[in-house]
Amino acid sequence: MSGLCGWLGYDATQEHALTRLSRMARHIGITSPAAHAVGTGAALITCGTTTLTHSCYENGLRVALFGHPHWRPETPASITAAASLATGVAAAYRQHGAQILAWLGGDFALAVLDEQRREALLAIDRTGTRSLTYRCDAQGLSFATHLGAVRASTTQTPSLDSQALYDYVYFHIIPTPATIYQGISRLLPGQYLHWRDGRPTLANYATTDYTEQHRGHAGENQARLFELLRNAVRDNLDSKAVGCFLSGGLDSSTVVGITSEITAAPVHCFSIGFAAEGYDEMEYARITARHFNAHHEAYYVTPDDVLAAIPLVAAHYDNPYGNASAVPSYYCAILARDHGMDLLLGGDGGDELFGGNSRYATQWQLSLYHRIPVALRRMILEPLLQPEQLRAGPLRKLRSYIHQANLPPYERMERYNLLQRIGHTSVFTPGFLASVDITHPLRHLQNLYESVDSAQPITRMMAMDMKLTLADNDLPKVTGMCDLAGIDVAFPFLTDDLVEFAAHLPLAAKLKATQLRPFYRQAMRGYLPDAVLQKSKHGFGLPFGVWIQTHPGLRAITCDTLNALKKRDIIDARFIDTLIDHHIPQHPAYYGVMAWVLMMLELWFQTQHSVN
């Protein structure tokens, strides 16, 4: 495990600061007090076992950066000339304060402590690749890249946040800025916290501009895309042994191709498969590997592997985390590590940047309804489809289409959410429901949607996905499992320049009617294999629902864990019984996801909440 943690408090002795920081440091894998940098009332520590860290102590300033930070091109030369990145940050902070964040690029978590002024600056990168959790209380400011370290900064266990528990079951993750605990929060992408004498101030130092600008010749834009991709990959090819995730999709295949261009030797790439119908893309991964003459290593995850990984995955995430594809990500990282890799390059972000999610095409189809004149819709079509008997008749699909089209864009796709389909009263106990706001998840989606400065609904959805789907879900999956496996990871698609380039592309370049990623596919024509370009979108899911019906060990741990969850008065015991006995046998892929989500919740209670 790697990361950073720190504390800035009031009139504390060195012994007090050291004791507090020692408790925190255990959660990022440090046990040696000699590694601690401690001053009166201030403490900060970094650990770089797998991911780079930069730290320094300059004239009363303690600086730590975790991740892969760098100076942006517009940074003044007087700052970039510093002996190290950390010393440059320290010098620039003295003169410019939080304005230095405009010059920092890459993925990072940053902490600056000013002991003399009792002041701290915390920030994370623009896409939220790295995370930073914090707590402000009467004793000071504690922060860390891991929630467990912040929780350990005090001897009192913080109270659970019931709303966060509800939102977890709804989203399968806890959306930022919340955590599972009251009073402990996380920074949002591109956000910083300035703390001075107990007064915290939150602000954004960067927001994505979605103004459409790249309306020039398509060939120029395509050339620019390749230039940015090559720069992004090249920046990660230092002295490390670098490999690539390879799922067989557009983005991981592109990263393999670009890396193979730049390196002198064939690139190493790593893939995970499943011996379950509908879940395996290994064929496309092999096609890409042959196409670019890459060294390809593949591993097929088995039910036994899943059984072995469940306690490891559950114990690693400080917040409940319900994305089952963490398991194949973990085994892929292990595969790469065992083949001598220090760093893996992932293709995450391409779908959100260039329009690759199928729900964007669905949104376009639903938007067609609003091209019909309002009078015709409201006076004829909608009244015609109101009768109760039409719910099961031949016009049922049309009625469903109109119902979805009339919903706000951020709410349309939620009809597939299990809590929307079954109903929250069937899933949760009455006592638990009395403590939460069931409208909160949709209001969270609405806030994300309305915070995007664009008139295009689909552009707003892509921006939402950058935060909720990518920063809150997919990136923690990959960074967390690479951390667990002991290997570093970077994401070429999420460099600042590439994100800005994609944001300025016209919407028509990302979605043309129901065609996904038209600009990107055209740019890659002749570069990626035709089979990869033409294949339909596929996920990286785990066939958990299928396997728990046939594998005794998986079924046993699922049943035992869910039965233990019944005792916590959160999930209705009748729902758990129905889920195991009826829902999963009938629809294993859909309801197996909920079984995993609830199992991870109970294991979080057992492995995280019970440990201080």
Side-chain angles (χ1 to χ4, degrees):
M1 186 178 290
S2 57
L4 66 84
C5 66
W7 173 72
L8 184 61
Y10 307 105
D11 300 323
T13 65
Q14 274 201 2
E15 182 179 0
H16 179 212
L18 180 58
T19 300
R20 180 185 291 264
L21 195 62
S22 295
R23 291 199 305 264
M24 299 176 67
R26 287 197 299 269
H27 289 266
I28 60 170
I30 292 181
T31 57
S32 171
H36 299 169
V38 180
T40 302
L44 176 63
I45 189 169
T46 62
C47 172
T49 55
T50 58
T51 302
L52 293 176
T53 57
H54 309 261
S55 60
C56 73
Y57 179 67
E58 294 282 330
N59 300 320
L61 279 184
R62 301 187 185 277
V63 175
L65 288 127
F66 172 73
H68 307 98
H70 59 76
W71 292 119
R72 289 165 63 91
E74 63 269 26
T75 308
S78 59
I79 295 174
T80 60
S84 70
L85 186 64
T87 56
V89 168
Y93 181 77
R94 281 292 193 206
Q95 185 175 357
H96 301 283
Q99 295 178 21
I100 65 168
L101 296 171
W103 299 323
L104 272 177
D107 65 87
F108 64 85
L110 166 70
V112 180
L113 301 187
D114 188 332
E115 299 176 13
Q116 299 170 357
R117 301 171 64 180
R118 288 187 178 177
E119 184 175 87
L121 176 71
L122 308 178
I124 63 169
D125 59 82
R126 290 163 169 78
T127 56
T129 301
R130 301 299 167 181
S131 178
L132 205 52
T133 303
Y134 64 93
R135 174 178 181 162
C136 302
D137 57 27
Q139 294 181 317
L141 169 71
S142 53
F143 58 89
T145 46
H146 293 76
L147 170 63
V150 176
R151 177 190 162 186
S153 67
T154 176
T155 56
Q156 295 180 345
T157 301
S159 299
L160 288 173
D161 187 333
S162 296
Q163 189 64 58
L165 281 170
Y166 181 88
D167 293 352
Y168 165 76
V169 178
Y170 188 97
F171 290 114
H172 308 167
I173 49 95
I174 296 176
T176 310
T179 73
I180 192 62
Y181 294 115
Q182 297 178 21
I184 303 180
S185 302
R186 290 174 289 171
L187 291 176
L188 295 166
Q191 188 180 57
Y192 72 86
L193 181 145
H194 179 251
W195 186 92
R196 187 172 187 182
D197 287 333
R199 294 188 299 273
T201 301
L202 285 169
N204 295 324
Y205 71 86
T207 55
T208 303
D209 178 9
Y210 286 94
T211 304
E212 296 183 2
Q213 297 179 6
H214 301 309
R215 299 179 180 275
H217 191 273
E220 296 176 359
N221 288 337
Q222 291 171 12
R224 179 60 174 159
L225 170 65
F226 274 97
E227 177 188 5
L228 293 172
L229 284 168
R230 291 185 182 106
N231 290 342
V233 170
R234 189 178 291 110
D235 287 345
N236 287 288
L237 299 181
D238 50 17
S239 58
K240 292 182 176 182
V242 179
C244 300
F245 281 107
L246 179 57
S247 68
L250 288 177
D251 301 317
S252 64
S253 296
T254 300
V255 172
V256 169
I258 296 294
T259 307
S260 70
E261 279 187 42
I262 298 173
T263 57
V267 62
H268 292 265
C269 54
F270 303 90
S271 303
I272 293 297
F274 308 100
E277 185 177 354
Y279 286 86
D280 188 47
E281 280 196 301
M282 190 67 76
E283 173 189 355
Y284 296 101
R286 292 193 178 105
I287 290 172
T288 293
R290 288 195 298 268
H291 184 77
F292 291 112
N293 192 32
H295 290 307
H296 186 216
E297 301 292 340
Y299 182 77
Y300 274 80
V301 171
T302 68
D304 285 336
D305 291 327
V306 177
L307 184 62
I310 284 173
L312 300 175
V313 173
H316 187 76
Y317 287 102
D318 291 336
N319 276 304
Y321 182 75
N323 188 339
S325 59
V327 171
S329 297
Y330 170 66
Y331 281 107
C332 196
I334 288 289
L335 183 65
R337 185 204 65 189
D338 289 349
H339 279 81
M341 299 298 104
D342 301 311
L343 172 72
L344 274 172
L345 300 182
D348 299 75
D351 283 333
E352 291 77 14
L353 292 176
F354 295 101
N357 291 319
S358 59
R359 55 182 169 273
Y360 305 148
T362 302
Q363 292 301 313
W364 179 85
Q365 292 174 324
L366 292 170
S367 71
L368 297 178
Y369 179 67
H370 293 278
R371 299 184 185 182
I372 301 173
V374 175
L376 178 58
R377 285 189 275 124
R378 294 183 178 176
M379 298 178 65
I380 299 178
L381 286 176
E382 292 172 15
L384 181 65
L385 294 173
Q386 283 303 313
E388 187 76 18
Q389 59 268 26
L390 291 180
R391 292 187 177 181
L395 296 179
R396 177 179 58 86
K397 289 186 177 181
L398 178 58
R399 188 178 188 276
S400 175
Y401 171 85
I402 292 175
H403 172 70
Q404 291 181 70
N406 282 330
L407 292 173
Y410 57 84
E411 192 176 338
R412 288 171 182 167
M413 301 308 295
E414 294 306 297
R415 64 188 295 266
Y416 296 104
N417 186 284
L418 186 141
L419 292 187
Q420 295 282 4
R421 294 176 72 90
I422 293 183
H424 55 272
T425 57
S426 299
V427 176
F428 296 97
T429 64
F432 177 79
L433 283 177
S435 67
V436 302
D437 177 3
I438 63 170
T439 69
H440 185 263
L442 287 181
R443 286 193 291 107
H444 180 75
L445 293 176
Q446 181 181 3
N447 290 337
L448 288 177
Y449 181 83
E450 294 179 350
S451 69
V452 182
D453 187 14
S454 174
Q456 298 282 2
I458 293 175
T459 296
R460 287 184 166 191
M461 290 196 66
M462 292 179 187
M464 286 174 60
D465 281 341
M466 287 292 291
K467 294 181 179 179
L468 187 64
T469 305
L470 190 67
D472 283 348
N473 196 336
D474 288 343
L475 293 180
K477 173 189 69 180
V478 183
T479 58
M481 292 299 94
C482 285
D483 190 27
L484 179 61
I487 190 170
D488 196 5
V489 62
F491 306 98
F493 277 92
L494 297 181
T495 57
D496 299 341
D497 290 342
L498 196 50
V499 171
E500 292 168 9
F501 169 80
H504 292 320
L505 284 173
L507 178 59
K510 304 171 187 177
L511 182 70
K512 186 176 182 180
T514 59
Q515 182 186 357
L516 301 174
R517 303 178 68 157
F519 163 75
Y520 192 89
R521 290 179 185 275
Q522 183 59 39
M524 295 297 157
R525 198 165 303 281
Y527 185 79
L528 293 182
D530 289 342
V532 172
L533 281 170
Q534 295 166 7
K535 82 178 190 67
S536 59
K537 174 68 178 172
H538 196 286
F540 193 43
L542 182 76
F544 183 68
V546 175
W547 284 348
I548 60 177
Q549 297 182 89
T550 58
H551 190 274
L554 285 179
R555 182 168 180 84
I557 192 173
T558 302
C559 293
D560 291 347
T561 306
L562 295 188
N563 283 329
L565 183 60
K566 293 177 181 178
K567 302 174 184 178
R568 299 193 185 274
D569 196 31
I570 298 172
I571 306 299
D572 193 300
R574 293 168 297 182
F575 172 74
I576 291 177
D577 291 337
T578 303
L579 178 68
I580 295 173
D581 297 335
H582 300 288
H583 290 324
I584 292 176
Q586 293 175 357
H587 301 286
Y590 182 72
Y591 288 103
V593 172
M594 182 52 63
W596 179 274
V597 167
L598 297 181
M599 180 176 66
M600 287 293 112
L601 176 59
E602 171 58 26
L603 290 175
W604 177 86
F605 275 111
Q606 295 178 16
T607 61
Q608 297 287 342
H609 187 56
S610 60
V611 178
N612 198 8

